[in-house]
Amino acid sequence: MISIFPLRDTIVAIAPNDHHSSKQDCSMPRLLLSLVAIYIAMMSNQVVIAHPGHSHSDATDSKTHEAPTNSRTWTSVSGKIREQGSFVMARDGIVQIRRADDSLVTFPIALLVSDDQQWVEERMADIRGAARSIRPGVLQLAQGGKVPSGGSAKQTPMPDAAKAFEAFVKRKAITTRWDDRFLYVESDGMPDHSMMVGITAWQQQVPIPQKYVGENAWRIPLHPVPAKNPQSTKGHFLRGAIALASNGVPIFNPLNNRGDDAFLFGELDEFGGHCGRADDYHYHIAPVHLAETVGKGLPIAYALDGYPIYGYEEPDGSPVKDLDSFNGHHDANGNYHYHATKKYPYLNGGFHGEVVERDGQVDPQPRAEPLRPALPPLRDAKITAFKEIRPGSYLLTYDIRGKQGTVEYTLEKDGSAQFTYTDTSGQSTSESFQRRERRGGPGGGPGRQPPPPRPGESPPGGPGNKPAPKGVPSRPVSSREPTTNPIDNVPQFGVTSESIDSKGFISVDCTCDGAGHSPAVEWKDAPPGTKSFALSLWHTAPDQEKSYWLVYNIPANVTKLEKNSKSTGKLGVNDRRRSEYDPMCSKGPGVKQYHITVFALSAELTLPPDKVSRATLLEAVKEITLAKRTLDFRYERK
């Protein structure tokens, strides 16, 4: 008996394999065999499948211990992967084979050696050629005829992985879909529990819904492949997600992007989550609180290699024993899974299955979309409350040494947002943001490209957004005679600093490692007609531009700001929304480069101090800049 299942976008060819066929198969009328092949083949030509079903006779012969005649050895370009198995299907750059133990394994065709790639191409060509050679009259009969007796039309059944997400599908918090290779999970990344409360190391992020939908949905492999060389998450995958919780919230490495334990550093809320630089909420430890919702015996999450993550107990409720270094082990049936633990690594401490690491994260994966520039940490702040005060409007409350500050924001239907920041002194500032178009395609993860240069300035690579020649610094560092690149033919003038040593490093007194004083800056040879000066101290991080110090309306007869100057000119707001100097306090490893730009202006600015950010300053001076100079310096956190 042969059952026919309509396979959308599929070509199925019944491969001749007479020495494995039963007598009943051999006696089947040729016309019926043709109809079966045609009926399935007519759907599409995107997928090639060698066998529509599977007989255990394809496995290694139990007597001779030899591989079946249609089996071959599949080898990756690197040589690290070698699998013995028979060809099953090829689709969208993926080939699936069946091992002798009846398990399926999937490979990207591009990762296979050229001989294997050519074999797949030839096999696909043969099967498609056979499909095209079928007579039109027989094809018409198959299209209009009935499914042979015993056949039935079936949809792809729900994969086991989807069951872990079903409770939240029923709540309409997420949606799921699947094909033969992946489970796709769509969500906005916003959980239904309280967020942010309890964080004591806060980078001024707030939860904003994300568009993890369509091609930007999360995907879980349905047929995970054990890795030949399993990868640890310690020192790797420090960006982006490593797993997906059953409520559609991504889970990042327990180590933050600096390699520190995010939980021990006070960066996480009461549920083990916080927001990233794109205001994207995610967990850093296993969300064990979800176990009650998903149901007994079901995973609370899936790692991005396709293996499930369970809570503190086995699916049957028994104690967990003998975990490997990745917090995983095999069950009695030989199936691998991970577990949550109360100590590092908290969840999967690595990937038992095959994944690709690119730019420090699992690739591909969805991309978070930033709505506003990322902000620096707010020292000594503890988040005490977060709530939705009305649909689409939120209020976050924090405390600094007994004084309260708030961030209130409203997300509009057109994608824009209105933010009001009230600091602990009671001073409020408001800003509006429009969601920027996502750069690049989906699957890049939460990491983002550096912002374009601000008006009137070139990036560190030099003017015109062109990189500096290899081996030549774009702006040589010197404490007495710095060199910068002229921008848009604006004249240069001299800028120096006694706070920068002969090696180009800023004095420790001007950083958070010391007294936190603003640096001394001096200039000379300003052009005639100068009516005022403005100064900006800034730094270009990998995903944003940070502003530490803004001074404007410095009188035209002033040629120097003394160290820790506070009375000359007017102060704009830094990235902490404060009208003051913010000393550098880099937490990442290595030497960082910073810049002090001094503008000679043909007029004074008429902007109110609480509205002057770096962006508004650059826009305001664009038409009145007579000359400018940028002094570079370096700083490494001790």
Side-chain angles (χ1 to χ4, degrees):
M1 189 68 64
I2 295 180
S3 297
I4 300 178
F5 304 96
L7 301 176
R8 188 180 301 274
D9 299 332
T10 303
I11 283 184
V12 179
I14 301 179
N17 202 11
D18 292 342
H19 65 287
H20 287 308
S21 300
S22 65
K23 293 180 179 180
Q24 182 179 359
D25 291 336
C26 294
S27 62
M28 184 174 289
R30 290 182 178 272
L31 178 59
L32 182 55
L33 283 173
S34 299
L35 289 175
V36 172
I38 297 166
Y39 182 86
I40 302 174
M42 69 184 181
M43 299 300 175
S44 173
N45 62 357
Q46 294 184 3
V47 180
V48 179
I49 301 180
H51 301 273
H54 176 68
S55 168
H56 288 284
S57 61
D58 285 342
T60 304
D61 188 279
S62 59
K63 295 181 180 180
T64 64
H65 301 286
E66 295 180 354
T69 56
N70 62 342
S71 180
R72 59 184 283 115
T73 300
W74 304 81
T75 308
S76 66
V77 174
S78 65
K80 294 181 179 180
I81 300 176
R82 293 177 63 86
E83 287 286 353
Q84 184 77 28
S86 56
F87 175 73
V88 176
M89 60 168 285
R91 175 183 180 181
D92 298 334
I94 298 294
V95 62
Q96 187 179 72
I97 67 172
R98 189 181 300 277
R99 299 189 183 104
D101 63 1
D102 205 30
S103 63
L104 294 173
V105 60
T106 303
F107 294 115
I109 296 175
L111 295 184
L112 296 174
V113 295
S114 58
D115 286 348
D116 287 342
Q117 292 188 37
Q118 183 177 354
W119 191 95
V120 172
E121 285 296 324
E122 292 174 352
R123 185 68 178 135
M124 292 169 69
D126 290 344
I127 296 174
R128 286 172 180 150
R132 286 193 296 268
S133 67
I134 298 175
R135 291 177 295 169
V138 177
L139 178 61
Q140 183 178 2
L141 175 62
Q143 290 174 326
K146 297 180 179 181
V147 178
S149 176
S152 62
K154 294 183 180 179
Q155 295 182 346
T156 305
M158 175 188 292
D160 288 340
K163 298 175 183 177
F165 300 88
E166 190 63 13
F168 291 94
V169 171
K170 292 179 179 178
R171 292 186 177 193
K172 299 183 178 179
I174 63 174
T175 60
T176 57
R177 52 189 167 86
W178 53 85
D179 56 24
D180 57 331
R181 293 188 292 133
F182 296 103
L183 169 70
Y184 301 92
V185 180
E186 297 185 337
S187 75
D188 62 6
M190 298 283 278
D192 58 3
H193 58 67
S194 172
M195 293 177 280
M196 308 300 287
V197 177
I199 292 176
T200 57
W202 181 44
Q203 293 193 353
Q204 303 191 68
Q205 317 106 324
V206 296
I208 291 180
Q210 300 294 322
K211 296 180 180 179
Y212 301 135
V213 297
E215 293 184 354
N216 201 47
W218 296 96
R219 68 181 202 178
I220 307 297
L222 295 178
H223 309 290
V225 180
K228 297 294 183 182
N229 297 292
Q231 300 184 65
S232 171
T233 56
K234 194 168 186 177
H236 296 274
F237 307 101
L238 297 179
R239 298 176 58 246
I242 62 171
L244 183 68
S246 58
N247 60 354
V249 174
I251 309 174
F252 282 33
N253 193 322
L255 304 179
N256 59 26
N257 55 16
R258 302 183 305 276
D260 300 323
D261 188 318
F263 173 70
L264 297 181
F265 267 67
E267 297 178 357
L268 307 182
D269 62 22
E270 299 168 334
F271 289 87
H274 71 178
C275 295
R277 290 181 175 275
D279 289 323
D280 52 310
Y281 187 83
H282 55 261
Y283 302 118
H284 275 268
I285 60 178
V288 292
H289 61 278
L290 298 179
E292 183 177 349
T293 303
V294 299
K296 185 177 180 180
L298 289 175
I300 58 173
Y302 264 83
L304 295 189
D305 62 358
Y307 290 102
I309 302 173
Y310 290 90
Y312 298 139
E313 298 177 341
E314 294 291 352
D316 61 3
S318 62
V320 176
K321 298 179 181 179
D322 302 325
L323 293 179
D324 60 25
S325 61
F326 293 171
N327 267 12
H329 60 189
H330 292 86
D331 62 18
N333 297 320
N335 299 313
Y336 188 88
H337 62 253
Y338 303 101
H339 277 282
T341 54
K342 296 181 180 180
K343 295 182 179 181
Y344 180 84
Y346 305 107
L347 66 161
N348 57 306
F351 290 106
H352 178 77
E354 290 283 1
V355 294
V356 174
E357 182 179 16
R358 181 172 288 114
D359 297 328
Q361 67 181 22
V362 176
D363 184 71
Q365 67 172 273
R367 179 184 293 272
E369 298 181 15
L371 179 62
R372 60 185 185 133
L375 300 176
L378 187 58
R379 283 188 218 114
D380 302 322
K382 179 179 180 179
I383 298 176
T384 57
F386 178 82
K387 61 182 179 179
E388 186 173 16
I389 53 180
R390 56 185 176 275
S393 294
Y394 304 87
L395 179 66
L396 182 146
T397 305
Y398 61 91
D399 177 275
I400 299 180
R401 296 182 291 276
K403 295 184 178 180
Q404 284 193 345
T406 61
V407 179
E408 183 176 350
Y409 59 103
T410 298
L411 307 176
E412 307 291 354
K413 293 182 179 180
D414 63 358
S416 64
Q418 311 298 320
F419 276 73
T420 299
Y421 307 89
T422 303
D423 64 22
T424 54
S425 68
Q427 181 179 354
S428 295
T429 57
S430 298
E431 284 191 272
S432 298
F433 299 97
Q434 185 69 43
R435 188 176 294 279
R436 293 172 289 177
E437 182 178 352
R438 184 182 346 126
R439 297 176 186 174
R448 290 165 293 285
Q449 296 296 319
R454 299 288 189 178
E457 294 201 8
S458 74
N465 210 16
K466 295 179 180 179
K470 189 173 182 180
V472 180
S474 58
R475 297 190 185 111
V477 176
S478 170
S479 63
R480 290 297 176 185
E481 296 184 0
T483 303
T484 60
N485 293 314
I487 309 300
D488 297 331
N489 298 318
V490 173
Q492 303 178 59
F493 65 110
V495 178
T496 58
S497 174
E498 295 178 352
S499 299
I500 300 175
D501 65 22
S502 60
K503 295 182 179 180
F505 282 86
I506 192 74
S507 168
V508 68
D509 284 343
C510 299
T511 73
C512 69
D513 293 319
H517 292 158
S518 61
V521 184
E522 186 174 0
W523 53 90
K524 62 180 180 179
D525 301 329
T530 298
K531 302 298 183 184
S532 71
F533 295 95
L535 178 148
S536 169
L537 193 156
W538 53 286
H539 163 64
T540 300
D543 59 351
Q544 65 175 315
E545 192 172 271
K546 297 182 178 180
S547 177
Y548 296 87
W549 190 30
L550 289 173
V551 188
Y552 68 103
N553 284 356
I554 302 171
N557 61 350
V558 173
T559 59
K560 182 177 182 179
L561 292 183
E562 299 286 350
K563 183 178 179 180
N564 202 29
S565 173
K566 295 181 179 179
S567 59
T568 304
K570 294 184 178 180
L571 286 168
V573 294
N574 56 38
D575 280 348
R576 297 180 184 274
R577 314 292 170 187
R578 297 176 180 176
S579 299
E580 62 185 16
Y581 171 70
D582 178 25
M584 286 73 66
C585 198
S586 173
K587 290 186 177 181
V591 177
K592 307 293 191 304
Q593 189 176 58
Y594 298 79
H595 321 282
I596 298 173
T597 301
V598 179
F599 303 85
L601 307 176
S602 62
E604 290 190 348
L605 300 179
T606 58
L607 300 172
D610 61 346
K611 299 294 184 183
V612 180
S613 64
R614 175 167 164 78
T616 56
L617 175 70
L618 292 177
E619 184 64 27
V621 305
K622 189 164 54 174
E623 302 298 331
I624 60 173
T625 299
L626 300 176
K628 59 178 287 188
R629 187 84 175 208
T630 297
L631 173 63
D632 295 349
F633 64 89
R634 291 176 286 179
Y635 163 55
E636 181 176 17
R637 184 79 188 276
K638 302 301 182 183

